[in-house]
Amino acid sequence: MSVTTTGRASARQRLLAAADELFYAEGVHSVGIDRVIEHAGVAKATLYNAFGSKDELIRAYLLGRLARRQDRVARRLAGVEAPRDRILAVFDALTDVFNQPGFRGCAFVNASAEATPGGKVSEACATSRGWTRSTFRDFAAEAGVADPDQLAEQLVLLYDGASVAAQLDGNAGAGAAARTVAETLVDAAIRR
């Protein structure tokens, strides 16, 4: 959603769109509240009425990112029935992100690098990580893997590594490479 073209968007939506654009491009602590407010075209009181604090706005921004990831994965999963293939579809969704213009890495990794331990950012990151881990674990269990928790941990490491490689190396092919490795891990775990 573009902040400048959302005349009908609520002030809260405009704030979230401005936060998403600015925080992702420049960092959650590099961008001050005044820039978000100006970019959204709202008054300072509106931000505090809608979110209460910058930390809460950051948390809402990150949870919005998670919701979009969940939607992207759900679209990739549509029509995919085999649990093994559902795991691999998560990596396909990751590849989609790497090929988007303006990709700047994982918003959660970026924000957590600037976060105070135990704060709103850490809370949002834990929610995101929990969803990713449980998604892999659930699909692994459905595939009949003997130790779904172990496979989920391996897949999360692979998922994270692909994100870092895509960002730091500018390697949009990291998602496809991670998918190939995931396929090997999943097939080996199923055979056990």
Side-chain angles (χ1 to χ4, degrees):
M1 165 166 49
S2 171
V3 177
T4 58
T5 61
T6 56
R8 293 186 309 239
S10 72
R12 179 181 174 83
Q13 290 169 322
R14 290 194 318 270
L15 282 163
L16 280 171
D20 186 71
E21 185 178 323
L22 295 170
F23 290 163
Y24 187 67
E26 300 175 33
V28 296
H29 288 297
S30 300
V31 175
I33 282 299
D34 291 336
R35 282 200 52 221
V36 174
I37 290 167
E38 179 183 336
H39 204 64
V42 300
K44 188 176 268 192
T46 303
L47 178 131
Y48 290 105
N49 285 336
F51 296 100
S53 67
K54 181 180 179 183
D55 283 346
E56 191 58 36
L57 176 62
I58 294 168
R59 187 185 76 77
Y61 147 71
L62 290 171
L63 294 179
R65 285 266 165 177
L66 173 59
R68 287 196 302 277
R69 180 189 313 154
Q70 291 167 329
D71 289 344
R72 199 170 34 253
V73 168
R75 283 191 309 272
R76 276 296 189 160
L77 293 173
V80 178
E81 299 205 12
R84 172 198 180 271
D85 295 335
R86 292 173 69 77
I87 291 169
L88 300 177
V90 174
F91 287 93
D92 294 334
L94 189 61
T95 298
D96 295 342
V97 173
F98 297 165
N99 289 301
Q100 290 179 347
F103 172 73
R104 295 187 47 82
C106 175
F108 293 91
V109 170
N110 297 343
S112 70
E114 302 179 57
T116 303
K120 299 284 184 184
V121 171
S122 297
E123 184 182 300
C125 290
T127 299
S128 173
R129 302 224 16 103
W131 178 80
T132 303
R133 188 173 284 108
S134 67
T135 297
F136 283 134
R137 183 181 49 244
D138 292 349
F139 293 158
E142 290 170 17
V145 169
D147 191 345
D149 290 321
Q150 179 184 25
L151 180 60
E153 287 302 317
Q154 293 168 342
L155 293 170
V156 168
L157 287 171
L158 184 58
Y159 185 95
D160 291 345
S163 294
V164 171
Q167 179 182 14
L168 295 181
D169 299 335
N171 180 4
R179 185 191 195 282
T180 299
V181 175
E183 191 170 8
T184 301
L185 286 171
V186 171
D187 289 345
I190 290 171
R191 279 193 300 272
R192 277 190 224 128

